């Protein structure tokens, strides 16, 4: 055996030994596992909320408001379901004890939980195929919603999903409430509620439905566009001004009182 070959053999042995040590210490590129930081859980929860309102719209029901506080409650419940997958909390109390009534004056509350599936779409489909869960999603009385999801790889089901629904009195507002939008409508001008760049009869009908408290939601930009008088509120007077504009009785929007 030549001296050169002996040196080369020793180098191979050293490299092999280092590789074994790296694997033992967990530095192997194949020794990785997914954690919550690898998933956008907030986006997954938001997708559930979008699916809820899209389903309700198809049935002619009012959309429900998403509430950051109720999202926190739902997230807490998802975490608790890792320990006890049940509508009762780990301490034995009902799920509603997680809701602070001083913050949310609800008259009715319900909860949907699910586990095991790793996408919002699959989880929502599971709820849709369950009569009890679907009844909660399509309850015409509910007004506000919270969604939570957590991923715990070392648990029984790994994925845990929660929906918290509450019904509050008409007009009751909770801090931060909003209607999630898959595609935010951006009006181009006063009166353009649909965001299509022109003011037409469809915008007028939308405004009438909004004023009549039907199953139509206007985002903040749409409300601003609906304020044809620019007096800071949307009333039947704005609908009258919009109608006159469409009939050609007034030429400009916003309309300025003389």
């Amino acid at each position: 055996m030549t001296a050169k070959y002996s040196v080369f053999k020793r180098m191979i042995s050293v490299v092999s030994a280092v590789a074994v040590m790296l694997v033992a210490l967990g530095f192997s590129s194949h020794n990785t596992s997914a954690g919550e930081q690898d998933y956008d859980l907030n986006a997954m929860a938001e997708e559930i909320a979008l699916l809820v309102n899209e389903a309700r719209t198809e049935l002619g029901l009012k959309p429900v408001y998403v509430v950051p506080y109720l999202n926190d409650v739902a997230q807490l419940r998802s975490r608790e379901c890792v320990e006890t997958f049940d509508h009762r909390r780990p301490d034995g109390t009902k799920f509603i004890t997680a809701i602070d009534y001083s913050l949310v004056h609800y008259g009715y509350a319900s909860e949907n939980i699910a586990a095991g599936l790793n996408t919002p779409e699959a989880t929502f489909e599971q709820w849709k195929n369950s009569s009890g869960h679907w009844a909660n999603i399509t309850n015409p009385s509910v007004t506000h919603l919270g969604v939570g999801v957590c991923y715990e790889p070392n648990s029984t089901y790994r994925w845990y999903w929660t929906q918290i629904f509450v019904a509050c009195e008409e007009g009751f507002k909770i801090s931060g409430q909003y209607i999630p939008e898959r595609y935010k409508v951006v009006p181009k001008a006063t009166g353009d509620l649909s965001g299509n760049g022109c003011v037409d009869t469809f915008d007028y009908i939308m405004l009438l439905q909004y004023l009549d408290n039907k199953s139509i939601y206007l985002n903040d930009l749409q409300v601003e566009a609906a304020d044809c008088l620019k007096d800071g509120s949307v009333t039947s007077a704005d609908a009258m001004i919009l109608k006159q504009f469409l009939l050609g009785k007034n030429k400009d929007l916003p309309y300025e009182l003389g």
Side-chain angles (χ1 to χ4, degrees), residues 14 74 85 92 191 195 232 236-237 239 256:
V14 170
F85 186 67
S236 57
E256 294 184 8

Side-chain angles (χ1 to χ4, degrees), residues 63-115:
V64 292
Y65 288 95
V66 174
V67 181
Y69 168 69
L70 289 179
N71 283 345
D72 291 341
V73 172
Q75 185 67 19
L76 170 64
R77 288 290 299 124
S78 292
R79 278 287 173 195
E80 291 180 344
C81 281
V82 175
E83 181 180 347
T84 306
F85 186 67
D86 193 275
H87 290 297
R88 287 190 174 274
R89 306 179 69 187
D91 63 3
T93 61
K94 295 181 179 180
F95 76 90
I96 55 174
T97 62
I99 306 172
D100 186 342
Y101 187 79
S102 68
L103 299 176
V104 180
H105 303 315
Y106 63 90
Y108 164 86
S110 62
E111 177 184 70
N112 284 346
I113 57 176

Side-chain angles (χ1 to χ4, degrees), residues 120-140:
E121 294 79 9
T123 301
F124 187 79
E125 190 67 20
Q126 184 182 62
W127 280 327
K128 186 175 182 178
N129 292 325
S130 167
S131 59
H133 296 94
W134 190 240
N136 288 337
I137 291 171
T138 60
N139 185 336

Side-chain angles (χ1 to χ4, degrees), residues 190-191 193 199 203-205 207-208 210-211 218 222-246 250 252-257:
T190 298
L193 276 65
V199 180
D203 297 302
Y204 177 64
I205 293 173
L207 180 52
L208 291 180
Y210 175 75
L211 292 171
L218 300 181
Q222 289 173 298
V223 170
E224 183 180 350
D227 183 10
C228 296
L229 289 170
K230 293 304 177 212
D231 59 357
S233 63
V234 178
T235 66
S236 57
D238 295 294
M240 181 185 68
I241 294 299
L242 184 55
K243 180 179 179 180
Q244 290 179 340
F245 175 80
L246 294 172
N250 62 284
D252 299 307
L253 288 176
Y255 182 80
E256 294 184 8
L257 294 174

Side-chain angles (χ1 to χ4, degrees), residues 180-205:
E181 296 177 86
R182 194 175 295 281
Y183 308 106
K184 188 176 181 69
V185 176
V186 180
K188 307 299 187 298
T190 298
D192 176 26
L193 276 65
S194 65
N196 65 355
C198 66
V199 180
D200 53 27
T201 305
F202 183 63
D203 297 302
Y204 177 64
I205 293 173

Side-chain angles (χ1 to χ4, degrees), residues 209-229:
Q209 290 180 328
Y210 175 75
L211 292 171
D212 197 33
N213 200 30
K214 291 186 177 180
S215 57
I216 182 171
Y217 165 78
L218 300 181
N219 65 33
D220 53 346
L221 297 178
Q222 289 173 298
V223 170
E224 183 180 350
D227 183 10
C228 296
L229 289 170

